[in-house]
Amino acid sequence: MTSTPTSPSTYVPPASPAIPVLPTPLAQTYVFIHPCLLLGILALRFQSLTTDPVAELLNDLPLLALLQVIFVMICLPPAGSVLSSKSESAEDEKKDKVPASPSGGAAGSVVLKPGKVGYRRRGPKNDSSSGSFLAKLIPALLSLILTFLLATPVFAALLVLFGAPITTHHWQTLLCAAHMALLTSTGLIYVHGVDGSVWKEVWGAARPLDVVWGGALGTGLGAWLGAVPIPLDWDRPWQAYPITILVGAYIGYALGVGLGRTVLFGKRIDFEEEGEGKKVD
């Protein structure tokens, strides 16, 4: 009597964890101050933005870049640190307890004295909360460079695909894309680096919500909603492209950071198989 062979189980890679804010008092406080600070600067400079959008966007770009670098260095763990990969640290803890080998010794153990078996002494882990200033500054600067070189052209192309003028307003499109790239990509690159599996989740909207992913989603949704007043025949100065898009992006970023830090932390957007709706678990 022959048994029916069972099909091999499909390997499902473990889901990437949400990225927590650093547990320092400064990080826990500044994560709430930073979005408010960005909105406050936007409100103070709004009149100048409506008067000359190109000049104001260009002048505010270095300040936004500086604030984003400060934010990621204070509040977020850099790529490869312990807090940015909880699953790896949990796996390391399991390896600390090595099962005994059949010969009575422990696999991977070191004999300290005759008749005694001890574990190898592990070096101290590199905790990002106690890392040096350069250990945070270098990844922050690299993420800033990659944001300008890679993310800004992508957002400029997306703005054109979503209806931005292609033959005119080139500076407005480029500067708006640069602001949106700084809001969305600086933190993502800082905490995830160039991990291909993580970026597949980013492009597939499959990341668990946290500060960086919530801010990125909020920026995109806010910019999309901010484009609604542009075609309306109200004839107001603030309706000029891309003012409302940028304002919506900033507001969406602030809401995304707040919600990703609190009530929606760790939740994912599940796309329903039947139907076009989507929900957050």
Side-chain angles (χ1 to χ4, degrees):
M1 184 174 181
T2 60
S3 60
T4 305
T6 58
S7 59
S9 59
T10 304
Y11 171 73
V12 179
S16 301
I19 302 299
V21 177
L22 293 177
T24 62
L26 178 60
Q28 296 292 326
T29 302
Y30 189 72
V31 72
F32 293 104
I33 295 176
H34 181 72
C36 300
L37 182 61
L38 293 182
L39 291 180
I41 294 174
L42 178 65
L44 289 175
R45 306 298 298 172
F46 186 76
Q47 185 62 40
S48 301
L49 184 63
T50 58
T51 303
D52 191 350
V54 173
E56 186 60 31
L57 289 177
L58 186 60
N59 293 334
D60 291 344
L61 197 60
L63 177 60
L64 176 61
L66 177 62
L67 291 176
Q68 289 298 93
V69 167
I70 293 174
F71 172 68
V72 298
M73 290 179 63
I74 291 177
C75 298
L76 302 176
S81 63
V82 174
L83 286 178
S84 67
S85 54
K86 280 188 173 180
S87 58
E88 293 182 3
S89 62
E91 186 176 348
D92 289 340
E93 291 177 0
K94 292 180 181 179
K95 291 180 180 178
D96 287 340
K97 298 181 179 180
V98 184
S101 63
S103 60
S109 62
V110 177
V111 177
L112 301 179
K113 292 182 181 180
K116 294 185 178 180
V117 178
Y119 294 104
R120 285 178 182 158
R121 183 173 297 175
R122 301 174 59 89
K125 294 182 179 180
N126 183 21
D127 191 351
S128 61
S129 63
S130 61
S132 65
F133 177 76
L134 287 179
K136 296 181 179 181
L137 179 62
I138 293 176
L141 293 179
L142 289 176
S143 65
L144 190 64
I145 293 172
L146 291 177
T147 294
F148 279 116
L149 292 180
L150 301 178
T152 299
V154 170
F155 276 99
L158 289 175
L159 286 172
V160 172
L161 290 176
F162 277 91
I166 192 172
T167 58
T168 59
H169 298 78
H170 298 137
W171 278 109
Q172 287 90 333
T173 299
L174 182 61
L175 290 171
C176 181
H179 278 253
M180 292 178 62
L182 285 173
L183 293 175
T184 59
S185 303
T186 307
L188 285 172
I189 298 174
Y190 182 80
V191 298
H192 299 306
V194 291
D195 188 347
S197 61
V198 173
W199 284 98
K200 286 180 182 179
E201 291 184 344
V202 170
W203 288 109
R207 287 285 310 159
L209 287 171
D210 50 30
V211 169
V212 289
W213 182 226
L217 281 180
T219 300
L221 291 175
W224 180 62
L225 293 175
V228 172
I230 293 179
L232 300 179
D233 191 17
W234 293 345
D235 195 21
R236 296 290 189 272
W238 52 265
Q239 283 182 268
Y241 171 79
I243 296 174
T244 57
I245 294 177
L246 198 69
V247 171
Y250 272 82
I251 296 175
Y253 173 81
L255 291 176
V257 168
L259 293 176
R261 171 68 181 87
T262 54
V263 295
L264 296 182
F265 179 79
K267 299 184 181 297
R268 296 174 183 267
I269 300 175
D270 287 340
F271 294 89
E272 297 178 353
E273 295 181 358
E274 299 180 1
E276 298 180 354
K278 56 184 180 180
K279 60 182 180 179
V280 177
D281 285 343

